[in-house]
Amino acid sequence: MSFAVELRKKADAIWQASFEHPFVKQLGEGTLDLTRFRYYVMQDAYYLRHFARVQALGAAKSPDLATTARMAHHAQSTCEAELSLHETFAELLGITEEEKASFIPAPTAYAYTSHMYRAAYEGHLGDVVAAILPCYWLYYEIGERLKDCKPKEPIYQKWIGTYSSEWFRSLVKEQIARLDAIAKAVTESDRKRMERHFLISSEYEYEFWEMAYRLETWPSARKESKNHACNN
């Protein structure tokens, strides 16, 4: 069993929870409230900006120019393809420039990106790939599960089409192969650390759906909202 497959097996219960999450299931059915998806788009755009930077850190930590070039290509793909997709969603969902300027990341989005930065700054390329791979791989598996769904909402159709595409599949397979190659060359201690990064990122992927479904806010904002309601 390859290292990546072993990690996928260890994370299976977490991934199954993502597959069954109401956000994911309702997206496929076309019944997901657009308010929740709108919130998700804004949080995910924030996440992807930092995801691209972590990919770029992976390029800087790569041991050879070929790997540097490929990791840089992945960072560029995130910027050009996925962020472009989110810009399209933002336009369709009526997200204004003022909203973008005043945006504050939710606790989960902030924590997830912080986790990836920590893995990248404290570790080597294997740590970077282990921390970012669940995002790639889980989204591809969700895309595969939902690819035959025909939600009436065009935005949901486009989201599903992106993550079930051959283009996205090729990026996922490349990073899986990269993780396996690195795992063969590093120590058992390194592999244990990489496993932790992978499992923590898998947990955060589940929490990201939960965050969007609950329209998560910071505790102080919830307290302020509660006080405002009481005063009224």
Side-chain angles (χ1 to χ4, degrees), residues 1 24 30 49 51 79-80 107 111 121 128 136 167 206 209 224 232:
M1 185 185 298
V24 174
R49 286 195 297 274
F51 188 81
C79 294
E80 292 180 352
Y121 277 111
V128 175
Y136 281 91
W167 163 78
Y206 172 83
W209 308 123
E224 182 180 332
N232 288 338

Side-chain angles (χ1 to χ4, degrees), residues 31-102:
T31 58
L32 180 67
D33 190 323
L34 276 173
T35 301
R36 290 183 166 121
F37 191 77
R38 191 177 192 273
Y39 174 98
Y40 162 84
V41 165
M42 294 185 71
Q43 297 293 334
D44 201 44
Y46 165 85
Y47 171 86
L48 288 172
R49 286 195 297 274
H50 293 283
F51 188 81
R53 290 169 184 152
V54 173
Q55 289 171 312
L57 286 170
K61 287 176 176 272
S62 296
D64 56 77
L65 285 176
T67 308
T68 296
R70 289 307 303 166
M71 291 299 296
H73 172 74
H74 279 250
Q76 185 175 8
S77 293
T78 297
C79 294
E80 292 180 352
E82 295 201 60
L83 285 176
S84 174
L85 178 69
H86 278 65
E87 287 173 7
T88 300
F89 288 160
E91 184 177 344
L92 292 171
L93 293 166
I95 297 171
T96 66
E97 291 303 318
E98 290 76 14
E99 285 179 288
K100 293 178 185 178
S102 62

